Amino acid sequence: MAPENPRIIALFDVDGTLTIPRGEVTPDMMQFMKSLSEKITVGIVGGSDLPKQEEQLGEGIANVFPYNFSQNGLVAYKNGELQEVQTISKFLGEDNIKKIVNWTLKYLADVDIPVKRGTFIEFRSGMMNISPIGRNCSREERNDYEKIDLERGIRKNMVEAMKKEFADLNLTYSIGGQISFDVFPTGWDKTYCLKFLPEGDFDEVHFFGDKTFEGGNDYEIFTSERTIGHTVTSPEDTKEQCTKLFMS
């Protein structure tokens, strides 16, 4: 069923916007989103791959709302149908991928932090996700690492070093979540998903995200000329802002 205002679309980040970081959406929040989709067109745009998005938002999430973008839109669904899949290995070539992986592992070997776990590089079809502590850490370790990272700028310093090392590859580095950052070809940030939303189809394109600061993984779409950007601090804040904007 079409929403009351189909020409208004709201796009939502996942972590920190619809869920707590790496947490699952609450039944109450999902019910709210479904109610919102009766008012306006709703889309999800997350940096993680679709299986991770399903862990957080539920199985079959690509069929729940009209638009679903995982990996910033490199995997794009409209009304449950796959529109496109783009891959970083195809784009950069295996030699460059190997250079990035080798350099990253050498760099991380010299980073001194209290705890290191596993999965320091997660290769996704559209990006590499790099984590100094390793993505296999527990929630408690994740929270502890975030405090150290904020104090010492571990991710920030690593990004600066990579910008110098791989200046010729025209890559973008985006710090998001608590423990990692994404590396992808420039232009493959969340604005990539906007190409699937023809300008003639929508009067307003809203975006809601928590990492909207410069360097955050919501920054480019938040500041895009095509969107009306909204910074949120939690799922509750998302609900509150949307209620005021679209449901009052």
Side-chain angles (χ1 to χ4, degrees):
M1 196 175 78
E4 288 175 24
N5 295 302
R7 293 184 62 82
I8 296 174
I9 184 169
L11 300 171
F12 295 87
D13 166 51
V14 180
D15 264 6
T17 302
L18 298 180
T19 74
I20 61 168
R22 293 303 308 137
E24 292 178 18
V25 69
T26 64
D28 185 54
M29 188 66 189
M30 183 52 79
Q31 188 51 54
F32 174 80
M33 292 301 294
K34 287 176 180 174
S35 299
L36 180 64
S37 70
E38 293 171 10
K39 299 284 185 183
I40 59 170
T41 305
V42 168
I44 309 292
V45 51
S48 295
D49 58 23
L50 188 55
K52 279 205 175 60
Q53 209 181 91
E54 288 190 318
E55 281 174 24
Q56 291 183 268
L57 300 179
E59 212 170 300
I61 188 62
N63 300 306
V64 175
F65 302 110
Y67 290 92
N68 181 280
F69 305 111
S70 50
Q71 299 186 66
N72 293 347
L74 299 174
V75 179
Y77 282 85
K78 180 182 177 184
N79 296 323
E81 289 186 15
L82 185 63
Q83 305 294 299
E84 180 183 287
V85 178
Q86 176 61 279
T87 69
I88 191 172
S89 54
K90 200 161 61 177
F91 189 81
L92 289 179
E94 292 300 345
D95 283 349
N96 285 323
I97 295 291
K98 200 162 63 178
K99 280 177 194 168
I100 295 168
V101 170
N102 290 346
W103 184 93
T104 298
L105 293 174
K106 284 176 187 168
Y107 183 97
L108 289 178
D110 293 327
V111 172
D112 185 27
I113 51 178
V115 168
K116 285 187 182 178
R117 292 299 179 244
T119 314
F120 300 101
I121 304 171
E122 185 173 83
F123 186 83
R124 301 173 182 170
S125 63
M127 66 180 73
M128 288 188 206
N129 179 268
I130 296 171
S131 173
I133 184 175
R135 294 192 65 88
N136 290 0
C137 61
S138 67
R139 182 169 292 283
E140 190 181 349
E141 290 161 349
R142 172 187 286 266
N143 292 341
D144 290 343
Y145 170 80
E146 185 181 28
K147 289 172 196 160
I148 294 165
D149 189 84
L150 288 168
E151 284 167 19
R152 288 169 45 191
I154 296 164
R155 288 182 291 174
K156 197 176 171 201
N157 293 338
M158 188 172 179
V159 163
E160 290 309 313
M162 288 187 84
K163 281 180 179 174
K164 287 175 190 163
E165 184 69 25
F166 301 108
D168 59 320
L169 295 184
N170 196 24
L171 298 170
T172 292
Y173 304 85
S174 183
I175 297 172
Q178 295 174 289
I179 60 166
S180 64
F181 62 92
D182 298 328
V183 181
F184 48 86
T186 297
W188 286 22
D189 50 64
K190 284 182 180 167
T191 59
Y192 191 90
C193 77
L194 297 176
K195 70 184 235 176
F196 298 102
L197 307 176
E199 292 196 35
D201 287 3
F202 299 100
D203 298 325
E204 293 177 18
V205 180
H206 294 260
F207 172 77
F208 294 82
D210 65 323
K211 296 284 190 296
T212 56
F213 51 84
E214 193 165 0
N217 63 355
D218 297 326
Y219 177 75
E220 291 85 2
I221 190 168
F222 176 75
T223 56
S224 166
E225 288 179 0
R226 280 206 61 197
T227 66
I228 301 164
H230 307 271
T231 304
V232 299
T233 55
S234 65
E236 290 71 27
D237 187 34
T238 302
K239 195 193 289 188
E240 201 174 302
Q241 290 196 39
C242 287
T243 300
K244 282 179 188 167
L245 279 165
F246 308 120
M247 301 177 86
S248 54

